[in-house]
Structures are given as structure tokens and as C-alpha cells.
Amino acid sequence: MNEQRTSGQRHAGVIRFDRPSAAWEEAYPIGNGKLAAMVFGDPRRERLALNEDSVWYGGPSDRNNPDALAHLGTLRQLIAEGRIREAQDLAVMAFTGVPESQRHYQPLGDLGLNLKLPPGEVTNYSRELDLSEGIARVEYRVGNTTYARETFASFPDNVIVVRLTSSSPGGISLRARLTRGSNRYYDEIVKADASTLVMRGNTGGKGGLDFRGIVNAVADGGSVKIIGEYMLIEQADSVTLLVAAATSFRHEDPEADSLRVISLAAAQSYETLKARHISDFRSLMDRVDFNLAVDAASGRECDSLSIDLRLKRVHNGASDIGLVPLYYQFGRYLLVSGSRPGSLPLTLQGKWNDIMLPPWDSKYTININTEMNYWPAESGNLAECHEPLFDMLERMREPGRRTARVMYGCRGFMSHHNTDIWGDTAPQDIYIPATFWTQGAAWLSLHLWEHYVYGTDREFLERAYPTMKEAAEFYIDFLIETKDGLLVTSPSVSPENTYILPNGESGQVCMGPSMDSQILHELFTACIEAAKTLGVDDDFADTMATLRSKLPQPVIGKHGQLLEWLEEYEEAEPGHRHISHLFALHPGTRFTVRETPEWTDAARVTLERRLAHGGGHTGWSRAWIINMWARLEDGEKAYENVVALLSHSTLPNMLDNHPPFQIDGNFGGAAGIAEMLVQSHAGAIHLLPALPSAWQEGSIAGIRARNGFEVDVSWRSGQFAGATIRSTKGGRCVVLAGGQVLAVTVGGREIAVTVEPGGAFSWQTVEGCAYVLHA
């Protein structure tokens, strides 16, 4: 295929197939945050599986259990007395949502293209997804004619664009149709004009949203006409199809808005639409460049293979180092494609779901999965892609206040382990190991603090702090005191694990699981620091410090592991997919190799025990494990799990496999790869903290570090070779480089550095200056 790149230009990579996709798991994802599609690439029967991010079943509802508060005291007493079976029976009745389920995400529908081709065999077929440009391309020959397609989702113009060309004049003839499920989940399809079809419908349920899906054709030569529900294009030299969609979630009149969008896009040439899209997409993707050196012969061999064959080779034990940067950049690509300012955040399936009632409802599971979706946002230099998560958190505040008040008699706001488009905060499911967890808003609020500590934008912190504060306020009222004087959550669970009592009974509901205390330690600390930075709320900060001092401390068990619950229980599943009690290692910041070695040693034992019993068997769990080994500065273990993620939990199109498909592992894996190369959570920029021996030579440029720094680092023969650190806000830069004190120059002039305790070194930076580090 023709690749339009300038010499020396950064490029995130290309994912290639040498055949059409036989299934959804081989199709290519494209998106602009609001609109998304899976592109299949069949020569004769193309399918675009379409999504619009606000197409959700039903409207807002109050699902808070009205009997919860009256039974809260009894439930807590049963838990404290160890009467777990009775506690869980009561919780199922009084502390589940009514009804039990939130709203679910739905597909918009399919755009099907039946292409009329001349007789003969399809040859020279190729299909690629360009990660830098955000374009899915297909090319093939039939006889003497070459056919090509380019498909992309434009953020600037808010349309999906499909361009079909032929090397033979008048070579494009096709029939297009919009459909939605085998049961036709739409009300009607009508002709808006001679070249525009409109799908109208409602998502269903009380308060369901009205949706519109629109396809328009702009043909060069030939003719376009509509017959019934079909668009017929005959003998065109080329065709540009434009797809727009909207719902009543954002628009009073979604049809008028979509037609306006289509009209504006259709008034531009294809070349203009494409150029605007590429400029926008590259402005994000090109911020980070990542390369690993590979043997020339093996590199050529791997690059010549389609992506499915490369993954199959890794599954069979072969090495393919070049897949690592490609996988990392694919994670960034998915974030750019699925989460843009003004869009909804990424669901369990990102934005790519084609099932009317999808697995786990394709909503927001906030006891790990939604948070993991955004782990690479800050370090991966895509901070604006984080914004939809913050918008969702704001939508959750009012429902979360009601849940806090009605179910628990508390101030502040809170959420359980799921939410939906409406910010529903009531308990989800009757699934005891997850349902009765009260830390959803607390964990999400930490993303606000993370965004601040990377960018140090005071105005953002001024907006975010009230949300963080309100999430913390809930625990002033909710925490209860044990007989030992500790403050703990109750009821709760350790997501989503099961313990075994000494009498042999199993249980999930508990008080004060380790994860809760670790999250609250992080949240209370963030609130204290935020109040100090802003110069406000001294009394509230003092309250947070008092509560923090009374939280249970991490405890090491008989195996040398960290305890998951207040007491040392056996686990029903020693290889459980959740590793919740290591939150303080990652994504938390409290456990560090140099400051808390006893706890990090115990975290290592915990990980080893999980893996020895089959842990990491889901994609997102394996991704979390990569991040944890990276924080433990064990590059070999981290890389071992990168390989396991690629070989056992990655679908042929590189999407994550839970199984079934669940996108969080892509983001967690990308974040883990970044953590292996640069860390900044422990007060210093740590260069190459978990570099594995397999990555002998390489470089990464444009990765962000906390406190407003951007880092380029390279290495040769497994050793640091050089780095550049750019200061975006000024301030003191602290660097840890394997115990070395490196020479630092700015503008070719060496500057003095201060040697810090523990082997780090530091210097004062000036905003906008780049500092070069030399071995």
C-alpha cells in the first residue's frame, strides 16, 4: 500500500492482515470518541459495525434500595460477629439495587456495502490499520482493476468517512444499507434526499433515548439513488460515504444535528476531510515515539507477516520484540480513538460493541476496569483524553449524594462498583463479591489528583478539589471504629475474591478489606496535599489526617504475603484475577522499593503466589501484574508477563481478550510497558527502572512524568545511553538513574546538581527548557 509519510517523521506503526476479517475479532477499530466502527475489509461485502457513544438503553432511574439504611446497623453487627451467611442473606435483600441492573450500552447498527465487482478472483489483497494516521486501508485487485478503500472517524468533522476508489473509470458500483440487529431494533429508515438515508429509532426502556444514524454518498461520476431502504451507487469513478449519528442525550433534535454535520462534511473535498483528520490524529499520536532494536533478519521476517501470524508465533514461543512498541502504541491509538473531549468515557468494550445486550452490559465497571482504561493517559502524553472520565465523575455526584444519604445516612457522595451513562451509583448486580463495595467514587477521584500531579495545573485543581473533597467526606460518616480503635469500611468486599472462615464456610462480605484502607489512604493524602496547595480547608485537612492515622496498616501474613482482609483467611481462589490488596503498589503510590521494602517484599510474595495458582488468566489481570512487577523494578518478571499478555490474552486484531473481548487489558498493558521505562510516582523521575534483558537497545521519546516533565530516554547494551528532560512548568527535577549521578547540560552548558539521599540527584529547572543527561 502507498504510505504518505515524510522522511524522519515519527510513526506509531501499522497493523497488517493479508486477508479480510473472518470475525469481529479480526476487524479494525476506528473512532473519534463519539463515533466508532469496526471495519471488516471484505472485498465484496464490507461491514462497518457502528457505535455512537450515547446509544444506551433506557433513561435515568433511582435504584437506591429504600430499606438499606434501616438495616445498616444490623448488617454491620452480623459482620462484626462473624455471622457472614446471615449478613450476606440480609445484604442481598437490603443492599442491592432495585432493580438490580443499571442501563446498558448498545450498538448503533451496521453499514453494509455490497460491491459489484467484475468476474474473477480477488488477488493482491492487503489490509492495514495505520496507528499514526488513524486510517483503515484495504486494497486488492480483480482482473486488471485495483480497488482501494480508506476508512476513518474524523474528530474535527464528527463523521465516519469511507472512500472507495477504482483504477478503472466507472468501476465503483455498490448497494448500501443501514441495519440494526437481526430483530431490526429501529423504527424506520427514510430518505432525507436523493443521496442520504436516515435511520430513526429509540433505545427502548423507560426514558429511552431517541437516536439517528445517517449515511450520505458523494459520488464522482456515475449515479446515486435510493430505492426503499437501499442506497444504490452505479458506475462511479470514486465514492465518499459519510456517516453521522446522534441521540437525544446531547441534542434536542438529533436528526437535525446529524444532517447539519453531514452537510458541512459533504461540502468539503475528500482530500480536505482526510487532511484535517490526519493533522488532528497525528497531533496526539506523534507525541510519543517508541523503538526497540531487533535483529535485522528476524525483524524483516516478523514485519513481513500479518499481525495474526505474528501473535500466533509468540503464542508458540517465538520472540517478536517489535510487537512491544506496536502494542504500546495500539493502546494509545485506542485511547485517542475512544476518548476525546466531549465524548463519554471508554466502557468495558471501549466504544466497540456490536451486541444489543453485551457482556457485563458494556458499561463502566469501576472496581478496576474503567480506571485501567485511563492508566496510560497521563504518562502516554494524552492528558486531554482523560477528560471524559472527569465529566462522568461530575455526572455521578448528584446521584452519588442521594445514594450516600438514602442507603447509608452519610454526607458526601459515593458509588458502588458500576456506573452507566446517567452516573448511576446504586449497587449493581446480585453478585456478592462485587456488589457491596463502596469505593467507586473514591478511586475515580484519585484520577483527578493524578491528572493534577502530572500537569500541575492549579486551575484544574481548583475545579477538581471539591469533587475529591466530597468523595472523602462520605467516609467521615461511613467509617466505623473497631474494638482496636481502627476505622474501617463496613459493609464491604475485597473485589471480587472469596475467603474461607475457620469453620469452612466461605464469605465475601466483610469489614475493612485491605484495598479499601489503601484507597482511602491515597484519597485522604491527596485531599490534604490539594488543600495545602490551594491554601484552603485547614480544618478539613486535619480531619483527613486524623482519619488516615486510624486506618488499618498493611499486615504481612504467614506466607510472607500481604493480607487481603483484616484477618488472615484462606482464599477460595488463590489464583484469583483481582489483586486488590496490592492497590498501594499500583496504581497507588504508598508501596515503594526504597521507602517501604518490607511491604514491597510482601507484595512480591503475593504476586508469586497468585501466579503460581493460575493468576493472570484474564487480559486485564495480566496487564495489572505487568504494572506491579514494573513497580517492583523487576524487568524480567514484567517482560515475562508482557509476553504472556501477547501470547494468551490478545485477539488477532490486537484487542484484549478477557475472554470475551474487554478492552482494559490493552490500556493496562500499554501503561505497564511505560512503567518499565520511566516511573515518577515516588518523588523522582526513575529512568529505566524495570528494563528487561530482552530489550537491549531502544528509545522512548515524549513520555510524561509527574510534576510537569516530559522525558526522552535511550539505552544501548541494556544500559542507559542518554536522556532529555523538558520542563513544562519549571520547578525542581529529581532523577534516579540506577544510582548514577549523570552530567546535566542545558544549551550545551553543564549545570550543578545536588545529590539526594538514596542515590537520586536534582536541579532547579526553568519552564520551557530542555535538559540533556549524559552518562
Side-chain angles (χ1 to χ4, degrees), residues 40-83:
F40 286 69
D42 189 281
R44 291 184 167 87
R45 297 179 63 87
E46 176 63 288
R47 176 193 175 195
L48 271 68
L50 301 172
N51 288 97
E52 198 277 350
D53 69 346
S54 62
V55 177
W56 287 65
Y57 174 86
S61 62
D62 182 353
R63 300 171 43 258
N64 294 293
N65 196 316
D67 295 315
L69 185 57
H71 293 87
L72 181 59
T74 302
L75 178 60
R76 285 172 164 169
Q77 183 176 353
L78 290 171
I79 294 170
E81 293 174 357
R83 297 157 63 185

Side-chain angles (χ1 to χ4, degrees), residues 56-59 103 202-210 248 422:
W56 287 65
Y57 174 86
R103 303 311 195 181
N202 185 277
T203 59
K206 183 179 180 181
L209 295 160
D210 291 330
S248 52
W422 305 108

